[in-house]
Amino acid sequence: MIKHASGRRTDERVSPREGPDDVAALRAELETLRGQLEVSEGERDRAAAREQALRNDLQHRVRNMLAVIRSVCMRTVSSNESEEVRDHLRGRLDALARFEVSRSAGKTGRSNLEDMARDELRAFEFDDRIEIDGPEVDIAHDSALLIGLALHELVTNAIKFGALSSSDERARLKLSWQVSGERLIFAWQESAVPVLTEAPLKPGFGREFIEQALPYQLGAATRFELRPGGVDCSIELPLSVLDGRSAPPRNWI
């Protein structure tokens, strides 16, 4: 306590001075912390390396497994089915393989919708007949696998019968999507396709998959319409399923 001229007394706080021993102790503590940090960083790097090694091993195993499945399927249908059937089966297995390998190689377990569409259309990458438009949308793997199969069926149909099979310069294919509230709205539109008529085509796996599997398994609302000169397909999906907040409810396949 000190006494002012006015006679009042007040507390006087004096910070103790640090001596050489205190400074040495602080330096030693810093060195200890620095060493612990280096150990932690080393453990983190080793864990990351182990994770990458496991991913690489998983990717290799997935490729091998799918190659075996593909070989078995091809041998099974080769003597009894047409070349068209074999091509369809091969294409669907290849589509599954792309998504499984992509999942095992990636870190997030998600697929970007635009990348998925461009991957299916990679043979037409610079084709000015194709327009792709939509915001960034990342989809959880289980849902991406199903949507990828739907994209594969739409692309296959367009190559065989639709806009990508036509020599008409007016033929166009537009893929677009938007997010509205808690739903993703995807639209596939083919136009100026002279081979399509109003008569309904015989339903196949692709159309059944879009009209039945996606609503049953993902809670989607779908529409597949063949009209004179084109195809209109719309798929509305709940975002809660796409981003993995809720699991796909059922198994159609």
Side-chain angles (χ1 to χ4, degrees), residues 106-251:
K107 293 184 178 180
T108 64
R110 296 176 179 269
S111 298
N112 180 271
L113 180 56
E114 182 173 349
D115 290 342
M116 292 165 59
R118 292 190 182 279
D119 192 40
E120 286 296 327
L121 290 162
R122 60 194 178 283
F124 304 90
E125 185 174 2
F126 302 106
D127 196 320
D128 59 8
R129 294 175 297 176
I130 300 173
E131 179 183 351
I132 300 176
D133 181 44
E136 286 285 321
V137 174
D138 290 329
I139 303 173
H141 171 74
D142 289 341
S143 298
L145 186 64
L146 297 170
I147 295 169
L149 279 174
L151 281 169
H152 172 75
E153 296 300 324
L154 288 168
V155 170
T156 299
N157 187 72
I159 292 172
K160 295 188 66 175
F161 308 111
L164 300 181
S165 70
S166 176
S167 59
D168 191 330
E169 295 181 354
R170 298 172 301 168
R172 292 290 183 272
L173 167 60
K174 181 177 180 180
L175 293 74
S176 61
W177 57 89
Q178 59 180 324
V179 175
S180 178
E182 283 296 306
R183 296 184 75 80
L184 173 73
I185 303 173
F186 175 88
W188 175 285
Q189 298 171 309
E190 297 177 48
S191 58
V193 184
V195 296
L196 292 177
T197 66
E198 288 184 291
L201 299 179
K202 180 181 178 180
F205 173 84
R207 184 166 182 176
E208 288 181 358
F209 186 81
I210 291 170
E211 292 184 327
Q212 298 179 31
L214 294 185
Y216 186 78
Q217 186 149 348
L218 297 180
T222 65
R223 178 179 60 85
F224 189 96
E225 180 182 357
L226 295 170
R227 53 178 174 72
V231 174
D232 279 340
C233 178
S234 65
I235 303 172
E236 294 188 22
L237 298 138
L239 292 178
S240 60
V241 172
L242 296 185
D243 61 20
R245 281 180 285 158
S246 59
R250 306 175 184 92
N251 187 10

